[in-house]
Amino acid sequence: MRKTPRIPAPTTADQYATTAADATVSARRGPRGRAAAAAALALAAALTLSACSSDDGGAGKATGIAEVKDLSGQQDTKPGTVLDRPYTKPNLVLTDTQGKPYDLRERTKGKATLLFFGYTNCPDVCPLTMSNIAIAKKQLPKADQEKLEVVFVTTDPERDTPASLAKWLPSAGDPSFTGLSGDFATIQAGARQIGIGIDAAKKEKDGSVVSMHGAQVVAFSPTTDQGYVLYGESTTADQYAKDLPKLIRGEKP
């Protein structure tokens, strides 16, 4: 039996479009091609890049609106996509909001973990994602809340220092969320390990800053420590709330 290919980690919008286009071509080659294309299109839908723009005056002072395009041409029909071939947790050591080294693998070992890459000056996608997860987490029993780790890794470390993340995360999400910053190249390499594309933030002529980054949340199992579910930017708080109990147990939602 022919195995479904694993989608590589694109880093630009053009590469995401190419992934979806290749899947369409494969679908024309017969049943096997259609099976592979279905998986490719599902991931292409989840692995879109979010263009977040803001002025340079600080978190929350946005001049642009985030643009998120579904390059597969399809709407999400399920909150999460269960991966046939889970991702290995990134080998990533960054700096937390206390200014201390944070080893992602070691600190989240054996715990259900939601990992998201974004930045604090994003006007909508990033704070909305953190808020939805926070709302869902608060619906869990206290004992289960302690079994869930939520990690936010900045894609704009030049502005998102540990101190700024410490101020932003409690208001955008929850005080228990972990915020990480560090060297951009290290962050980008870590994101690529789980198929997330990130481009360095760029300052436009009008003074706004645009950060291109994958808008998906990756859920890691507490039993295998592998990333086995992808959530798109359209996932609601209610959908997270429905899935979290299963994720905490390492089950498929």
Side-chain angles (χ1 to χ4, degrees):
M1 176 179 287
R2 184 178 181 181
K3 295 183 178 179
T4 301
R6 184 167 182 172
I7 307 302
T11 56
T12 67
D14 288 342
Q15 286 172 298
Y16 280 106
T18 300
T19 297
D22 288 345
T24 302
V25 173
S26 296
R28 296 171 182 166
R29 296 176 180 170
R32 291 181 177 178
R34 284 192 291 272
L41 286 173
L43 285 182
L47 301 177
T48 52
L49 287 179
S50 169
C52 301
S53 62
S54 69
D55 65 17
D56 206 28
K61 299 180 179 179
T63 58
I65 299 176
E67 179 183 3
V68 180
K69 297 181 179 180
D70 181 354
L71 297 176
S72 73
Q74 299 181 348
Q75 295 295 324
D76 291 340
T77 57
K78 296 177 62 179
T81 300
V82 178
L83 302 177
D84 290 332
R85 298 180 62 188
Y87 287 111
T88 299
K89 189 174 291 182
N91 183 16
L92 196 58
V93 179
L94 295 169
T95 303
D96 65 16
T97 54
Q98 303 299 316
K100 298 179 180 179
Y102 186 98
D103 187 319
L104 181 65
R105 287 183 177 177
E106 287 298 321
R107 297 290 290 274
T108 62
K109 186 176 182 179
K111 300 189 73 172
T113 303
L114 299 181
L115 179 62
F116 180 76
F117 289 80
Y119 84 131
T120 65
N121 283 274
C122 174
D124 45 24
V125 175
C126 302
L128 179 60
T129 298
M130 291 295 98
S131 176
N132 284 341
I133 294 175
I135 291 172
K137 181 179 179 180
K138 290 176 182 177
Q139 296 181 40
L140 292 169
K142 281 290 185 179
D144 285 345
Q145 289 185 34
E146 295 177 359
K147 297 177 182 178
L148 178 67
E149 289 289 333
V150 180
V151 180
F152 178 94
V153 181
T154 181
T155 60
D156 183 19
E158 183 176 345
R159 291 187 300 166
D160 288 347
T161 63
S164 64
L165 286 172
K167 293 180 180 179
W168 182 81
L169 269 179
S171 58
D174 187 89
S176 67
F177 290 1
T178 298
L180 301 178
S181 187
D183 177 69
F184 177 78
T186 300
I187 293 171
Q188 185 180 53
R192 285 176 176 172
Q193 293 176 40
I194 53 173
I196 297 178
I198 295 175
D199 289 342
K202 297 180 180 179
K203 193 168 185 178
E204 303 297 314
K205 293 182 179 179
D206 61 1
S208 65
V209 175
V210 177
S211 177
M212 298 290 290
H213 59 87
Q216 68 272 31
V217 173
V218 183
F220 290 85
S221 168
T223 58
T224 65
D225 279 323
Q226 293 185 318
Y228 70 118
V229 186
L230 290 180
Y231 289 94
E233 53 86 22
S234 62
T235 306
T236 66
D238 287 342
Q239 289 171 327
Y240 277 119
K242 182 179 178 180
D243 284 4
L244 284 184
K246 292 183 178 180
L247 295 180
I248 288 173
R249 295 191 297 268
E251 299 173 358
K252 294 181 180 180

